[in-house]
Structures are given as structure tokens and as C-alpha cells.
Amino acid sequence: SQKIEQNSEALNIQEGKTATLTCNYTNYSPAYLQWYRQDPGRGPVFLLLIRENEKEKRKERLKVTFDTTLKQSLFHITASQPADSATYLCALSRGSTLGRLYFGRGTQLTVWP
Amino acid sequence: GAGVSQTPSNKVTEKGKYVELRCDPISGHTALYWYRQSLGQGPEFLIYFQGTGAADDSGLPNDRFFAVRPEGSVSTLKIQRTERGDSAVYLCASSPGQGDQFFGPGTRLTVL
């Protein structure tokens, strides 16, 4: 079965710095990989999707990289703000864009002023 | 526009009882998913519908769990003979088919 590891349970950084979160996976190579944000008591919110043939994707202050050789994705938040504090989930899909997602357990990011 | 809604937001039941959890997806989304999430864990897949039919139910843990989507819109997750281990947040998501999934706020189920 697919195993997904996110680098740490918690990451604390100072406002203005770049947060870097890691997602490693084993076994199957995913067709695409997604990152979600989850706030306490709420459902996950989609942030970015990157396909297996893409190396990098950007959206405003967010950047995702995807290295299928290393079986790793990095998620960066530049110029971090306290409002970025949340849990960030990595999710993989093996096949079509309609298939199930395999989620990691998440990394809790805290950005302090 | 309206997002995915789930009712009830909280459900407390006793061991052995039957519960139904409802999901209203975003209008026009043909794909609907159920996940459950335990504290400190990521969402765990249960079942996925494409239209009215279950396209993948491999995540249902046992035959006490069942889900329907009779008209291709609203879905109900049904749990029979609930056990304490069923306590979790049950999340519903819908998708227009581009990969991204839109999640509801979840139903927190507590089995006493």
C-alpha cells in the first residue's frame, strides 16, 4: 500500500521567513500530488496540484516541487505570515483525476510574529 | 457559491446504534468522496461515487459501513452497530473532475 511521510509533525518559524514542508512517498509513483491546508475544526482546503511530468508549480507565495526520482515533494511558503499557521496535508493520487487520494498525516505549521 | 455541506455537524451515539451522516456536494460535481479522519491523522479514504454508482468502495472497513447516492447528488453514509472505534470526523468531498477535491466541514461522530 502507499505510504506517505511528512517530514515532521510540527514546524515553527518566524514571520517573513520561508517555510519548507516535505512529503516523501514509497511504493507507487503517483500520477499527481496535491497539497491541502486544514484549520482546526474544518475540512481540508485545496491549495496546489502538480502532475508527475511537472517539476514545479507556483501560486502567489506558494511553490511546490515534485521529484519522482527522489519520491519527494517540497512545499514552500515564502514571506510567511501568522495567518499561514495551519496543518498542511500532502495527498497523492495513483491514477485519474477522479480517483481516491492518499493523505499524509500532515505538518502543523506555526508562524510567530 | 455554496460549498459542500454536511449534517449533522456533531453526532453522539451509543455503542450498537445505527447512524446516518449526510453530505450535500457542490452543485454540478459528479464525483463525491467520503473520508474519515482521526485525531492527528490525515483523512482516510472510505468510498468514492461517480454519479449514482460507487466507483471505488475499497476503503470501507467492514460491512457495517454503507453509503448511497441515489440521485447522483446528496449522499448518505450509514453505519450499523456502531463501535467506539468508529469515533472520528467523517469528511465528505466533491470534485468537478480536475483532481482537486472540495471538502465539507465534517461530521464529528462520537460513539459512547
Side-chain angles (χ1 to χ4, degrees):
Chain A
S1 62
Q2 186 68 274
K3 184 177 179 183
I4 302 159
E5 292 183 350
Q6 296 192 237
N7 57 324
S8 61
E9 290 187 4
L11 180 64
N12 300 308
I13 64 167
Q14 188 176 21
E15 181 176 10
K17 303 292 187 184
T18 296
T20 298
L21 285 66
T22 305
C23 175
N24 294 291
Y25 60 91
T26 59
N27 298 338
Y28 313 108
S29 291
Y32 58 92
L33 185 148
Q34 302 182 37
W35 285 88
Y36 286 78
R37 169 184 173 140
Q38 187 171 27
D39 292 283
R42 296 179 176 267
V45 175
F46 171 77
L47 296 175
L48 279 169
L49 178 155
I50 187 166
R51 300 184 186 278
E52 61 181 335
N53 60 349
E54 298 175 317
K55 297 293 185 185
E56 182 179 298
K57 210 76 167 291
R58 290 175 185 261
K59 179 183 176 183
E60 299 173 351
R61 294 185 296 111
L62 309 180
K63 184 178 83 171
V64 174
T65 62
F66 194 7
D67 189 326
T68 55
T69 301
L70 292 178
K71 295 189 174 181
Q72 180 180 81
S73 173
L74 299 179
F75 176 76
H76 307 272
I77 306 175
T78 58
S80 59
Q81 305 166 1
D84 295 327
S85 299
T87 295
Y88 291 85
L89 298 161
C90 167
L92 310 180
S93 173
R94 289 176 53 190
S96 78
T97 54
L98 288 172
R100 63 183 288 179
L101 291 178
Y102 297 83
F103 281 89
R105 63 188 302 172
T107 295
Q108 185 174 352
L109 173 67
T110 301
V111 181
W112 44 280
Chain B
V4 176
S5 63
Q6 293 187 245
T7 54
S9 55
N10 281 284
K11 176 70 176 179
V12 181
T13 191
E14 294 180 343
K15 179 176 178 296
K17 299 291 187 183
Y18 167 82
V19 296
E20 288 189 352
L21 311 179
R22 176 187 167 106
C23 172
D24 280 87
I26 293 172
S27 177
H29 285 190
T30 57
L32 184 146
Y33 307 79
W34 284 98
Y35 295 83
R36 72 177 174 181
Q37 186 173 26
S38 300
L39 192 63
Q41 303 296 318
E44 176 191 21
F45 172 79
L46 295 176
I47 186 169
Y48 146 54
F49 288 89
Q50 180 59 29
T52 60
D56 181 357
D57 64 357
S58 62
L60 295 176
N62 51 59
D63 61 6
R64 296 185 299 105
F65 288 75
F66 188 71
V68 295
R69 195 186 185 199
E71 298 178 357
S73 179
V74 171
S75 175
T76 304
L77 178 66
K78 308 180 181 191
I79 310 175
Q80 299 177 321
R81 303 183 305 280
T82 52
E83 301 177 356
R84 293 192 179 88
D86 298 335
S87 296
V89 175
Y90 287 80
L91 295 165
C92 176
S94 67
S95 174
Q98 303 304 313
D100 49 336
Q101 296 185 11
F102 295 79
F103 283 82
T107 293
R108 180 175 299 279
L109 175 65
T110 303
V111 182
L112 301 177

